[in-house]
Amino acid sequence: MAVSDQDTLLEKIGDMYESKTNKITDIVLDNVWKKLEPLINEITMLKKKTIFYENDHKRRNFVLYGVHENQQESFQELSKCVLNILNCLMQTDISLYEIDHIYRLGHKKSYASRPILVKCLTSWRKEEIMRNGKHLKGRGIYIEHDLSKEQVRRRRELIPEMMEQRKQGKHAVIKLDQLIVKGQESNEDETPQEMKVKTVVPKKKKNNIEIVAKEKEEITSNEKQWKIGVQDKTEHEEQNELKDQHKIYISTRNSKSRTKHKQKASRK
């Protein structure tokens, strides 16, 4: 066998081996993907659910920054301090019974004051407090929403875009995890779903006169049906009686004819 023939044969063998390995890898990858795809979908769905529940859990909370912290601070002192800030500085009328819990975040630090997390009982009360946050300007204290890790990450990603919009002379603000430029939200991907309004036609209440008339109609219809049934019964009974009489007549006639035949036969 020549050298050229050997080379061509080796090339063919190599091509066949490569094609078979590619087919096998494709089949294996397809089978693996078929098994992994439902798991990936389930994981993404669970992730979305956890994000939703976390955001829903935090929507009644807010955080106060810049409030001085004593080293041996009790809950009563902290609650009085928070109520003083909310009622006196922020000009809100809130009582301790409208607050679920108050505590400082993180470990104690001798050189800095920790932020205070406040949990309200209702979300509308929290929104009212957030609207009055403008009264804290220039006091070294500021208020923020209690954001989840995902919302904090998205806010950090939106900061460069916000700075670019401001350099262009536009009014850009980050609200929660959305960038708002001149009253328009920047994340156009999340379009709200259309609300389907279901119109319900209220049923008219029936008067007593209508009810009585309807009952009379039902009674008359029942009487008519009963009369028709009685008539049907009487007609059916008459037909049966006629049939019975006809049978009796035929039987008597047959018996008479038989007796006549017998008499004739006896005479002969």
Side-chain angles (χ1 to χ4, degrees):
M1 185 180 288
V3 177
S4 61
D5 295 335
Q6 290 180 356
D7 293 336
T8 53
L9 183 62
L10 289 172
E11 287 178 0
K12 287 181 180 179
I13 292 168
D15 294 336
M16 290 171 65
Y17 178 76
E18 188 176 358
S19 64
K20 285 184 178 181
T21 51
N22 290 330
K23 286 180 181 179
I24 292 166
T25 51
D26 291 336
I27 292 166
V28 171
L29 289 173
D30 289 336
N31 292 328
V32 171
W33 175 248
K34 286 178 182 178
K35 292 180 180 179
L36 286 177
E37 189 176 8
L39 296 174
I40 292 167
N41 294 331
E42 188 175 358
I43 289 166
T44 52
M45 186 177 68
L46 291 172
K47 189 177 179 181
K48 288 179 181 179
K49 283 184 178 180
T50 52
I51 291 168
F52 172 78
Y53 287 127
E54 188 178 3
N55 294 335
D56 186 68
H57 177 69
K58 291 177 176 290
R59 67 187 177 90
R60 292 186 292 272
N61 306 344
F62 63 89
V63 185
L64 288 170
Y65 295 91
V67 181
H68 180 68
E69 180 182 4
N70 296 323
Q71 292 298 321
Q72 295 179 350
E73 189 178 48
S74 63
F75 175 76
Q76 287 77 14
E77 292 176 353
L78 182 62
S79 60
K80 284 181 182 179
C81 180
V82 171
L83 288 175
N84 187 22
I85 292 168
L86 295 176
N87 293 327
C88 298
L89 298 181
M90 298 178 67
Q91 299 178 8
T92 59
D93 186 14
I94 188 169
S95 63
L96 188 62
Y97 300 103
E98 294 179 277
I99 295 173
D100 186 21
H101 198 29
I102 301 171
Y103 60 91
R104 288 188 181 269
L105 299 172
H107 299 286
K108 282 187 178 182
K109 297 176 182 178
S110 58
Y111 56 89
S113 297
R114 293 176 294 169
I116 301 170
L117 178 68
V118 182
K119 295 184 177 182
C120 296
L121 291 175
T122 56
S123 58
W124 67 268
R125 198 65 162 144
K126 178 242 183 176
E127 293 297 331
E128 184 182 358
I129 292 167
M130 295 299 295
R131 284 195 295 270
N132 290 339
K134 58 187 177 182
H135 298 292
L136 295 175
K137 287 184 179 180
R139 298 180 182 273
I141 300 170
Y142 60 98
I143 187 170
E144 284 290 342
H145 295 277
D146 184 21
L147 303 175
S148 62
K149 291 181 180 179
E150 184 68 20
Q151 288 175 330
V152 172
R153 184 186 64 79
R154 292 182 66 179
R155 280 173 71 93
R156 287 175 182 171
E157 291 176 355
L158 290 172
I159 286 171
E161 188 177 352
M162 181 187 70
M163 299 303 292
E164 288 181 3
Q165 295 291 337
R166 287 183 177 179
K167 285 179 182 178
Q168 294 175 6
K170 297 179 181 179
H171 179 71
V173 180
I174 296 174
K175 187 176 180 181
L176 293 177
D177 57 348
Q178 296 176 353
L179 178 62
I180 299 172
V181 181
K182 289 185 179 180
Q184 294 181 355
E185 298 176 2
S186 65
N187 52 349
E188 297 177 355
D189 296 334
E190 297 180 358
T191 56
Q193 295 180 353
E194 295 180 358
M195 295 178 67
K196 295 181 180 179
V197 181
K198 186 178 180 181
T199 57
V200 180
V201 179
K203 294 182 179 179
K204 294 182 179 179
K205 292 183 178 180
K206 294 182 179 180
N207 297 325
N208 294 326
I209 298 168
E210 293 178 357
I211 293 167
V212 172
K214 190 174 181 181
E215 288 178 354
K216 285 182 178 179
E217 288 177 0
E218 289 178 356
I219 291 165
T220 53
S221 63
N222 291 329
E223 287 179 355
K224 287 179 181 178
Q225 289 177 0
W226 179 77
K227 288 178 181 178
I228 291 165
V230 170
Q231 289 176 359
D232 292 335
K233 284 182 180 179
T234 53
E235 289 176 358
H236 186 65
E237 288 174 356
E238 288 177 358
Q239 288 177 1
N240 289 329
E241 287 177 358
L242 290 171
K243 286 180 181 179
D244 293 332
Q245 289 176 3
H246 184 66
K247 286 179 182 179
I248 292 165
Y249 172 74
I250 291 168
S251 62
T252 53
R253 191 180 65 180
N254 291 330
S255 62
K256 286 179 180 180
S257 62
R258 284 173 187 171
T259 53
K260 285 180 180 180
H261 285 298
K262 286 180 181 179
Q263 289 175 0
K264 286 180 181 180
S266 62
R267 286 175 186 176
K268 289 178 181 180

